[in-house]
Amino acid sequence: MQKGVAVLGSTGSIGTTALRVIARHKDRFRVVALTAHSNGELLRQQVREFGPEYVGLVNCEEEQADGWRRGAECLVEAATRSGVDIVLNAIVGAAGLDATIAALAAGKRVALANKETLVVGGELVTRAAAEGRGEIVPVDSEHSAILQCIAGRDRSEIRRVILTASGGPFRGWSEERLASATVADALQHPTWTMGRKITIDSATLANKALEVIEAHFLFGLPYDSIEVVVHPQSVVHSLVEFVDGSVVAQMSVPSMELPVLYALTHPERVSDSGVPPFDPVALSPMTFEPVAYENFPALKLGIDAGRRGGAAPAVFNAANEQAVALFLAGSIQFADIASSIGSALNKLGGLASGSMQDLLDADMKARRHVLESFEC
Ligand code: NDP
Ligand code: MG
């Protein structure tokens, strides 16, 4: 029987990839709901093609509305709608948190691309999943790889996981050269074409810090068992070492279609994933190198925030989101992103985190702290 899917953030890089995947698997999936933030034009085309019952545009002019729902409430409405079995959360940033929690509390599967959800509210999110019998299946390629590697194994058999990182566009750059990196430089990712925010996160390696925290909550692993290695070709998507020393890796030609499809069909595998055939010779050499932590301070700041727990990961995320927005607007330098995250964590990392309201306060204070430190 066909499964009903809500695609939140359908106009973005992952959202459009997801719709391509669904279009190829119409026998298995039908689009029940679509939401976007402001791109009404693309959303309208998608509505014509997929005919969803529910359409939400957060930032919608009255004359555009056309029976669509407006405002941020549309995300939770779409995520909890009856007839929706799977919520593909492809929203960027902390804005995706409420919809994830609501979907899990309503017992849905959340195919989660929106990693910020787990960074900001990891404990609340995992509790909502347990209480509501919802299920989180990662879309992020590294976490999809880990899920595939550990399939059927007990957690006690895992010694550590090793997340691969492409190293981003600035791999090998010196500190002096990084000081003059431009927005255009930072947007040139070597192996992936993605939305602007995650592309900058990949240049600072803040993305890998978000992924370490994501792995901690998804797989219930202690931070000491999560490592990062640079693998510039992005063919090995991550590795899992078991207690007997055996290491299992998941590989493919870099393509987000595969992890998106797997998040929809897990634990089943289906053909026609859209991924080009795997040719180990053509994909060689596959190399690995250590992370240059000293040149990419956002990575360690984020991992330390994860270890500290409480509101620190939410502060890390919000400061990063705000600093990336300022960098993309040309208001601050590349190195200012990490330094403003560090400053926000020093000041606000110990804030309370017991409730959703605590997390929202921490998020707001961190954004304000970054804006004020640049007098914006
Ligand atoms: P994009 O910027 O390309 O797309 C973001 C989507 O979210 C768009 O549909 C956008 O709508 C919508 N959106 C933006 N802000 C809001 C908001 N405040 N409320 C509701 N909807 C909003 O991002 P990506 O697709 O690159 O990334 C999405 C998520 O997936 C991120 O968390 C990212 O880290 C993660 N991810 C992405 C990968 C990739 O390959 N791109 C790989 C792994 C993870 P509109 O277009 O109308 O602005
Ligand atoms: Mg990733």
Side-chain angles (χ1 to χ4, degrees):
M1 209 180 71
Q2 272 182 318
K3 294 230 164 84
V5 184
V7 182
L8 312 183
S10 64
T11 49
S13 165
I14 292 289
T16 50
T17 301
L19 290 180
R20 260 198 322 277
V21 168
I22 291 172
R24 260 208 314 277
H25 294 275
K26 283 207 174 106
D27 52 326
R28 292 174 176 269
F29 305 108
R30 81 196 151 87
V31 174
V32 174
L34 291 176
T35 74
H37 184 264
S38 333
N39 191 347
E41 205 176 311
L42 179 54
L43 185 62
R44 198 171 297 284
Q45 285 175 29
Q46 296 176 339
V47 169
R48 253 184 255 124
E49 184 177 349
F50 292 93
E53 304 165 0
Y54 181 98
V55 186
L57 185 63
V58 173
N59 189 9
C60 179
E61 305 293 332
E62 186 118 28
E63 60 273 16
Q64 271 180 301
D66 207 8
W68 296 359
R69 302 287 289 174
R70 299 189 284 159
E73 307 79 58
C74 74
L75 306 175
V76 169
E77 282 176 12
T80 53
R81 208 177 157 79
S82 68
V84 169
D85 303 295
I86 305 175
V87 176
L88 197 142
N89 187 344
I91 295 170
V92 61
L97 176 62
D98 285 350
T100 301
I101 292 183
L104 293 169
K108 316 271 190 201
R109 167 178 291 195
V110 176
L112 187 69
N114 179 233
K115 61 191 90 181
E116 294 91 343
T117 271
L118 275 171
V119 174
V120 177
E123 273 156 30
L124 295 182
V125 171
T126 42
R127 201 182 314 147
E131 289 173 4
R133 296 177 183 273
E135 177 192 24
I136 312 172
V137 185
V139 165
D140 218 350
S141 56
E142 296 78 358
H143 305 75
S144 176
I146 294 169
L147 181 68
Q148 294 177 56
C149 293
I150 65 176
R153 310 309 318 180
D154 194 85
R155 292 294 132 95
S156 63
E157 294 178 327
I158 301 172
R159 184 182 286 160
R160 61 184 173 136
V161 300
I162 305 172
L163 301 176
T164 51
S166 70
F170 300 145
R171 184 175 65 91
W173 283 38
S174 65
E175 205 181 326
E176 300 73 61
R177 198 168 164 215
L178 277 173
S180 60
T182 65
V183 173
D185 294 332
L187 287 173
Q188 293 298 320
H189 196 278
T191 48
W192 299 102
T193 306
M194 311 180 282
R196 284 158 66 86
K197 191 259 179 183
I198 185 178
T199 305
I200 302 302
D201 288 351
S202 302
T204 59
L205 298 198
N207 181 52
K208 216 42 65 175
L210 297 171
E211 292 186 355
V212 168
I213 301 172
E214 183 186 7
H216 166 77
F217 284 110
L218 274 175
F219 303 112
L221 294 167
Y223 284 100
D224 282 342
S225 327
I226 308 170
E227 292 176 20
V228 179
V229 70
V230 172
H231 167 53
Q233 298 82 18
S234 303
V235 171
V236 176
H237 300 305
S238 277
L239 309 101
V240 177
E241 183 184 45
F242 293 94
V243 285
D244 59 1
S246 177
V247 177
V248 178
Q250 186 264 340
M251 304 183 217
S252 74
V253 175
S255 156
M256 285 309 296
E257 298 204 11
L258 181 56
V260 165
L261 177 63
Y262 188 71
L264 297 175
T265 63
H266 166 80
E268 213 184 321
R269 291 189 182 277
V270 299
S271 57
D272 199 8
S273 69
V275 178
F278 189 82
D279 178 345
V281 175
L283 292 167
S284 292
M286 293 180 215
T287 58
F288 298 90
E289 42 189 86
V291 178
Y293 283 95
E294 61 292 356
N295 286 351
F296 300 97
L299 176 54
K300 186 160 184 312
L301 285 168
I303 296 174
D304 288 349
R307 286 178 184 271
R308 184 172 177 184
V315 169
F316 169 77
N317 178 69
N320 180 53
E321 282 191 33
Q322 187 60 70
V324 169
L326 290 175
F327 175 67
L328 282 169
S331 308
I332 65 172
Q333 301 296 311
F334 184 73
D336 294 333
I337 299 175
S339 59
S340 59
I341 295 171
S343 157
L345 279 167
N346 276 339
K347 183 154 181 240
L348 305 164
L351 286 174
S353 66
S355 66
M356 181 63 122
Q357 193 51 51
D358 288 338
L359 294 173
L360 294 178
D361 279 353
D363 177 285
M364 190 192 63
K365 285 182 175 143
R367 286 172 202 263
R368 199 185 303 145
H369 177 81
V370 173
L371 286 170
E372 284 171 2
S373 49
F374 296 105
E375 294 177 354
C376 296

